[in-house]
Amino acid sequence: MNSATTIAAPPDAVLSPTGSAPPAAAANVRPVALGLLGLQHVLVMYAGAVAVPLIVGRALNLAPDQVAMLVSADLFACGLATLVQSWGLPGVGVRMPVMMGVTFAAVTPMVAMGTNPAIGLTGIYGAVIAAGLFAFLASPLVGRLLPLFPPVVTGTIILVIGVSLMKVGVNWAAGGVGNPDYGAPLFLAIATFVLGVILAITRYGTGFVSSASVLIGIVAGTIVAAFFGLVDLGHVAKASWFDVVRPFAFGYPTFDPVSIVTLCIVMIVVMIESTGMFLALAEICADPVDEARLTRGLRGDGLGTILGGVFNTFPYTSFSQNIGLVGVTGVRTRNVAIVGGCIMLGLGLIPKLAALVEAVPQCVLGGAGLVMFGMVGATGVRILGAVDFARNRNNLFVVAVSIGFGMIPLVAPAFFRQMPHALHPLLESGILLCAIAAVTLNLFFNGLAGAGASRAAARRQAAASEH
C-alpha cells in the first residue's frame, strides 16, 4: 500500500517501540498525532470488529435492540482487550501496538452452540470464559504446541474458516435467511454495488483509504439502500446516546463441557496465530519478543477473552490488518494502540451508534462479507502457498482430507444426526473437525518439527496474514 494518504506522525514525533519520546516532541505533536493515528487504526478494523456480533446475533434471531447491545458490548470489550495487550498489566500484555478484535475462528462453533436450545447464548458465554481461562493458564505451554501447527495445518484451518463463513456472506447478500424476499434482484444489486465499491477503492485508492475500503463500501451501500426504503432508523431514534455496558446482560453463564472443549481448541489456534503476529510485529518494530514477553501477550489474549465473556461478547485476538498498518505508517509506539483502545471503549458506550450498525441492511453486509470472509480463506491459501507440496506429497493428503472433514457440516448438515446429541456442538463445527484432522494427519505423515523451525514458520504465517 502507498502511504501517501495514510496519517503518519511527523519526523520529530517518531516514537520508540516502548512509547517513549523526547519531551519536546511529545509536547508539540503527541496528542494530535496519536489521536489521529489511533482513530485510523479503529476505522481500519471497525467493519471486521462488528461483523461477528452481527453474525451471531442474527443467526440466533435476537431482537434488533439485543443485536445492538452485542455490538456495543463488542466495541467496549475490543477497547478493554486492546488496553490489556498494549498498555499491559503486571504479567499480562505484550505491550506493543496491537489492536484486538473478535476472532472469526469461533463464529461457526458459537452459532452451532447458540442455536442449540440446551446451550443458547449463556452457554456460549460460559464456554468463552472457560476458554479464556484455559488460554490464560496454558499460555506458557503454547511454544511447545507450535510444532503441532505448522503452515500446512494452520493454512488449512484458516482456509476452512473462510469457506465456512462465506455461507453467511452469501445469505446476507440475498437478504438474509428467513427474509420472504430472499434473493430479490434489488438485494443482489445492492450487494454487487457494495462489492464493486470495495474493489474499486482497493484498486485505485491509496494508504488509509484503501485500508478502510470495506467500511467505506458499507457506508456507500447503506446510503443507496436508504433511497430504496431498506434502512429502518426507528431503533436508532429510540436508542440513547450514552449507556454503560453491563456484565452478564443476557443472564449468568452456563457451562457445557463439550462447548468448552470446542472453544478451547479454537483458542489454541487463535494463540498460534497470535504468536506469529507478535513475532512479525517484533520485526516491524525492531522490538524483540522473548519467551516471557510472548507468554504475557498470550495471557493478554486469554484475559481479553475472559472479559469478552463477562461483557456479553466473544473470544479476542490481534487484528492482522492493524499490524500491517503499523508497517505502513512507520509509527511503532504502543501509545497509538492505547489511544485506539480508548476510542473503542468510548464507542461502546454510545448505544445509538450500535443501533445504527444494526440498521445496516443484510444485503449491504453481504457485499462486504464476500470480501471480508473471502479474505480469511485467501489468507489460508497464501499460507499454504509456502508449504512444500512438490517434495513432500504427503502434505497434499493432509490438506485434502482435512478440508473434506471441514466441509461435512457445510455440505451435509444432517451427516451426524444419529450421533449423541451432546456431541453436536463438536461435530457441527467444520473448523474443529478440520483442526483435529489436520493435526492428526500431519503428525502421522510428517511428525513434529523443531521449536526453531516452528517459530520461523509462525513468523512467515503472520507475514502472509497481513492484508
Side-chain angles (χ1 to χ4, degrees):
M1 291 183 290
N2 185 334
S3 60
T5 59
T6 303
I7 301 170
D12 62 345
V14 175
L15 305 174
S16 73
T18 57
S20 60
N28 291 334
V29 300
R30 176 175 283 182
V32 174
L34 289 182
L36 293 175
L37 286 162
L39 178 61
Q40 180 171 259
H41 273 281
V42 169
L43 293 176
V44 165
M45 70 177 292
Y46 191 83
V50 301
V52 174
L54 290 175
I55 296 170
V56 175
R58 287 171 175 172
L60 273 55
N61 296 315
L62 298 182
D65 60 327
Q66 291 178 313
V67 176
M69 185 190 299
L70 285 182
V71 173
S72 287
D74 176 52
L75 294 173
F76 183 79
C78 276
L80 285 180
T82 297
L83 292 177
V84 165
Q85 277 291 21
S86 57
W87 195 347
L89 297 171
V92 181
V94 74
R95 299 187 181 185
M96 298 176 80
V98 174
M99 295 293 292
M100 301 286 286
V102 177
T103 175
F104 284 114
V107 169
T108 304
M110 288 192 304
V111 169
M113 296 171 200
T115 52
N116 183 341
I119 300 175
L121 196 55
T122 57
I124 292 177
Y125 293 140
V128 169
I129 292 171
L133 181 61
F134 164 79
F136 189 91
L137 297 176
S139 55
L141 304 176
V142 169
R144 300 178 184 178
L145 294 177
L146 276 176
L148 294 175
F149 293 85
V152 70
V153 173
T154 51
T156 304
I157 294 171
I158 294 171
L159 173 59
V160 169
I161 291 171
V163 173
S164 299
L165 290 171
M166 285 299 290
K167 178 180 179 181
V168 175
V170 169
N171 282 323
W172 274 354
V177 175
N179 190 326
D181 296 322
Y182 182 91
L186 178 60
F187 296 155
L188 303 182
I190 292 176
T192 302
F193 169 77
V194 173
L195 178 60
V197 169
I198 294 171
L199 295 178
I201 293 174
T202 302
R203 171 65 177 85
Y204 299 107
T206 55
F208 166 70
V209 173
S210 178
S211 298
S213 60
V214 173
L215 179 62
I216 296 171
I218 290 174
V219 172
T222 302
I223 293 172
V224 171
F227 282 107
F228 292 94
L230 298 179
V231 179
D232 182 5
L233 298 179
H235 294 285
V236 179
K238 295 177 183 177
S240 58
W241 280 102
F242 176 83
D243 196 7
V244 296
V245 177
R246 296 171 179 80
F248 308 124
F250 292 92
Y252 288 105
T254 56
F255 299 92
D256 175 70
V258 174
S259 299
I260 291 171
V261 171
T262 301
L263 285 194
C264 284
I265 294 176
V266 169
M267 283 306 297
I268 292 175
V269 176
V270 167
M271 287 192 290
I272 297 296
E273 284 189 273
S274 292
T275 297
M277 296 298 173
F278 297 151
L279 294 175
L281 190 57
E283 292 188 355
I284 294 173
C285 295
D287 191 12
V289 172
D290 57 17
E291 294 296 335
R293 193 174 188 185
L294 176 60
T295 297
R296 294 200 306 269
L298 297 176
R299 284 189 188 132
D301 278 6
L303 181 56
T305 298
I306 293 171
L307 291 171
V310 171
F311 285 100
N312 323 297
T313 182
F314 311 112
Y316 283 87
T317 187
S318 56
F319 263 33
S320 60
Q321 54 264 54
N322 291 92
I323 292 175
L325 189 59
V326 172
V328 169
T329 62
V331 180
R332 304 171 295 174
T333 170
R334 65 191 173 113
N335 292 347
V336 172
I338 291 172
V339 171
C342 292
I343 293 173
M344 296 294 278
L345 275 175
L347 294 177
L349 300 176
I350 307 174
K352 198 173 286 291
L353 176 63
L356 182 62
V357 172
E358 192 281 329
V360 175
Q362 295 198 54
C363 58
V364 172
L365 293 172
L370 292 175
V371 177
M372 288 190 294
F373 308 147
M375 285 299 292
V376 175
T379 298
V381 173
R382 290 177 62 182
I383 294 170
L384 288 174
V387 175
D388 185 359
F389 292 106
R391 290 181 294 180
N392 186 355
R393 290 185 65 252
N394 291 335
N395 285 330
L396 289 171
F397 290 95
V398 174
V399 175
V401 177
S402 301
I403 290 177
F405 271 85
M407 290 296 97
I408 289 174
L410 188 64
V411 301
F415 190 84
F416 293 112
R417 180 174 293 174
Q418 301 300 321
M419 299 296 287
H421 189 73
L423 295 177
H424 279 197
L426 174 67
L427 299 175
E428 291 174 1
S429 170
I431 298 166
L432 195 55
L433 292 176
C434 173
I436 294 172
V439 169
T440 304
L441 289 170
N442 180 67
L443 286 175
F444 176 72
F445 284 117
N446 300 323
L448 286 174
S454 299
R455 285 174 66 93
R459 191 181 294 109
R460 290 194 301 271
Q461 173 183 324
S465 298
E466 293 171 23
H467 50 79

